[in-house]
């Protein structure tokens, strides 16, 4: 298929070491990566305006001959100014470029060029300031057409990316289409090679939409097929049927310090009924932070233990594992639970119920009659790790699987993405939870907010500060956190004890800092969104979010869930410099609602699925570069196509190959 097309990116013109290093930062290493690096928007410069008709503020293109061109240094500011006058048959117009002296070397008087950009006006009439330009050739990449705009990183320009892609876009005819003819015909899809050319350099918006539809179909179809295949494979397996011990379970529930919500009862019931069967359960339990998922898992594990089966709960961090261990011992009784982490190994008397971290999947840990596996915060684990735990059992049977997640993904979206799983949703929180007071803080009110925080902390409270990523290249948030930390430490709160966490912090270091924070050795913890602080720190009552406008509501809601865990009143302060009506309105939704699912629906409508997932899940979501995961019509079509394909996939080697690649992406997630 696309293999012959795949060449190292350095095989292209004008890609030296520096540029290839920069491209690597945005995961562009081969020509294939590049052709699948889609624009995130387009500018329509396809209409050429006569110079005489130019209007101030108009975005457009003109075509003309250079009559004058020179570069000079400005007096007052030490800046290079390149000026040109170009003329068409109607009129001439001035063009000014700042600090681009090389332009005077590339262009010459007499050259015919396109100039695209926004028309400015000064005392002498209209002109272009810093427009894009291109010599007139048969095929243009930057001007006089619908121009692609790519996401960039430091040190790479739109022009460079376009130049690179234009080198390969005309070779797309070499690409084989991996979709069978029948599917292309039945769903009226544009061929792959045409789509890939059009997505970068569309002839017009109709073609662009067709290209987009085809490439979206590819992504959704692949996902649907992948899910169907997993489901089919899973059905070949057998699990231990776990009988329902009604009386002891009722007893357990009666002895809880609270009564279960009706949602908890329903979920627990479904799970207990599921694991009675020989068919392995594969269920995702979604419930907002604090909705009480742990007790549901405890009931199922206890039920398994009653018939002599083992079960294991895996959590993403050592602190969380210990937290669960304590909770389960409280619910199920002393010495009923074993704890296995890197540093601890406590074994209980009867060794039926295990709690731990990744340490559970080490080679030397062995299970017998493992009937149930629970994965907490499932998005924190890769598929491979989840499977590794499932495959731990020494028996022929595989364990039932229960995944827990606090990301409120709307049902329809969840069904598309996790089509191979059954879904349970806990949509209500236990009664009596205090609302977290949520406020939007503008720049003008920043100082006042700092005073408020200082006072709270003086009274013994603690606070989180979450920072957004400032630069695309700062994926781990090192820079943003360090900057914020420095500012708070040196200028704002010199008297407070402040700690920081970012994506580069070592696991061990993270755990130590979280533990120290929990033990009140710090007043304030600065972290990036990349670091999920999924730990219970009841004494933390203030969540401060910098650049709140840069996050999706779901993510903001998740951050907010880190506070409000004690009887004290908690606060969430959303700092933003944005003055945009739309942005403020969006944030406003957060101040009014504490319902994660409602906020997620809102996100989905306003910003698409990407906004819902936390940083850890973005790997998975990055498999969807173009598909709109809310496009129900296309999803239905792709699903139908996948259902028709699933039993005869082997007949289509290119499809099989594509599935393998997709699996690799998902496994790297
Ligand atoms: P999460 O779904 O975020 O994992 P947990 O299972 O940790 O939530 O539960 C959060 C807290 O709520 C725990 O302290 C738990 O004991 C408590 N809890 C769970 N269910 C209920 C309920 N029905 N009523 C009151 N409190 C509950
Ligand atoms: Mg939990």
């Amino acid at each position: 298929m696309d293999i012959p097309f795949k060449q190292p990116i350095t095989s292209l013109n004008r890609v030296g070491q520096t540029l290839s290093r920069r491209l690597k930062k945005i995961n562009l290493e081969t020509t294939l990566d590049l052709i699948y690096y889609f624009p995130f928007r387009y500018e329509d410069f396809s209409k050429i305006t006569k110079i005489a008709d130019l209007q101030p503020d108009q975005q457009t293109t003109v075509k003309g001959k250079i009559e004058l061109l020179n570069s000079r240094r400005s007096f007052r500011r030490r800046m290079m100014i390149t000026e040109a006058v170009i003329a068409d048959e109607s009129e001439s117009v001035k063009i000014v470029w700042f600090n681009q002296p090389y332009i005077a070397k590339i262009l010459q008087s007499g050259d015919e060029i396109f100039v695209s950009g926004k028309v400015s006006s000064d005392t002498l009439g209209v002109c272009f300031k810093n427009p894009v330009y291109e010599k007139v050739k048969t095929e243009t990449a930057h001007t006089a057409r619908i121009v692609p705009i790519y996401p960039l990183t430091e040190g790479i320009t739109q022009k460079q990316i376009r130049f690179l892609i234009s080198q390969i876009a005309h070779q797309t005819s070499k690409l084989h289409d991996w979709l069978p003819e029948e599917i292309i015909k039945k769903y009226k899809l544009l061929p792959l090679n045409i789509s890939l050319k059009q997505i970068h350099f569309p002839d017009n918006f109709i073609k662009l939409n067709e290209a987009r539809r085809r490439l979206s179909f590819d992504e959704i179809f692949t996902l649907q097929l992948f899910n169907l295949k997993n489901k089919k494979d899973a059905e070949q397996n057998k699990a231990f049927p776990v009988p329902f011990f009604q009386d002891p379970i009722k007893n357990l529930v009666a002895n809880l310090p609270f009564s279960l919500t009706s949602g908890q009862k329903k979920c627990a019931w479904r799970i207990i009924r599921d694991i009675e069967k020989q068919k392995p359960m594969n269920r995702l339990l979604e419930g907002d932070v604090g909705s009480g998922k742990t007790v549901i898992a405890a009931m199922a594990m206890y039920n398994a233990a009653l018939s002599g089966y083992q079960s294991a709960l895996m959590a993403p961090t050592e602190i969380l594992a210990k937290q669960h261990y304590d909770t389960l011992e409280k619910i199920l009784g002393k010495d009923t639970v074993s704890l296995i982490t890197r540093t601890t190994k406590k074994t209980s008397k009867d060794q039926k119920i295990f709690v731990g971290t990744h340490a559970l999947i080490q080679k030397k840990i062995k299970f017998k009659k493992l009937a149930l596996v629970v994965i907490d915060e499932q998005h924190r684990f890769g598929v491979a790790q989840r499977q590794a735990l499932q495959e731990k059992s020494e028996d022929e049977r595989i364990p039932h699987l229960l995944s827990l997640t606090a990301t409120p993904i709307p049902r329809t979206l969840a069904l598309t993405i996790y089509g191979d799983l059954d879904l349970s949703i806990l949509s209500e929180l236990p009664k009596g939870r205090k609302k977290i007071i949520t406020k939007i803080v503008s720049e003008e009110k920043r100082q006042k907010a700092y005073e408020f925080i200082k006072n709270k902390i003086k009274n013994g409270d603690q606070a989180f500060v979450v920072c957004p990523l400032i630069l695309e290249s700062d994926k781990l948030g090192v820079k943003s956190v360090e900057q914020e930390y420095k500012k708070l430490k040196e200028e704002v709160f010199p008297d407070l004890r402040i700690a920081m966490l970012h994506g580069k912090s070592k696991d061990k270091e993270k755990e130590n800092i979280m533990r120290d924070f929990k033990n009140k050795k710090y007043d304030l913890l600065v972290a990036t969104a990349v670091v999920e602080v999924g730990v219970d720190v009841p004494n933390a009552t203030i969540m401060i979010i910098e650049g709140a406008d840069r996050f999706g509501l779901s993510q903001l809601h998740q951050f907010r869930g880190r506070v409000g865990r004690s009887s004290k009143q908690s606060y969430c302060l959303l700092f933003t410099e944005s003055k945009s009506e739309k942005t403020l309105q969006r944030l406003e939704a957060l101040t009014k609602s504490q319902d994660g699912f409602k906020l997620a629906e809102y996100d989905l409508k306003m910003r698409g699925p990407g906004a819902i997932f936390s940083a850890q899940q973005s790997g998975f979501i990055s498999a969807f570069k173009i598909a709109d995961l809310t496009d129900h019509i296309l999803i239905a079509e792709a699903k139908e196509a996948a259902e028709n394909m699933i039993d005869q996939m082997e007949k289509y080697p290119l499809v099989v190959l594509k599935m393998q690649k997709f699996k690799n992406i998902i496994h790297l997630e």
Side-chain angles (χ1 to χ4, degrees), residues 103-142:
I103 288 179
K105 295 196 185 99
I106 297 168
L107 300 177
Q108 285 182 334
S109 272
D111 282 348
E112 202 176 11
I113 61 170
F114 290 109
V115 171
S116 290
K118 195 167 153 190
V119 180
S120 305
S121 65
D122 59 18
T123 45
L124 298 172
V126 295
C127 62
F128 283 94
K129 286 180 182 159
N130 278 340
V132 231
Y133 63 92
E134 194 171 10
K135 287 192 199 181
V136 174
K137 318 170 268 206
T138 43
E139 195 155 350
T140 60
H142 314 288

Side-chain angles (χ1 to χ4, degrees), residues 179 183 187-190 209-222 224 416 624 626-642:
L179 276 187
I183 294 186
Y187 298 99
K188 301 195 171 61
L189 300 168
L190 207 60
N209 280 337
E210 285 178 26
R212 203 181 262 147
R213 179 167 171 272
R214 161 63 208 258
L215 296 169
S216 303
F217 185 93
D218 280 13
E219 290 180 358
I220 298 176
F221 176 73
T222 312
Q224 299 287 351
T416 304
F624 306 95
I626 194 162
D628 171 2
L629 292 175
T630 62
D631 182 342
H632 300 301
I633 297 174
L634 196 66
I635 290 170
E637 287 175 332
K639 197 165 181 185
E640 183 187 76

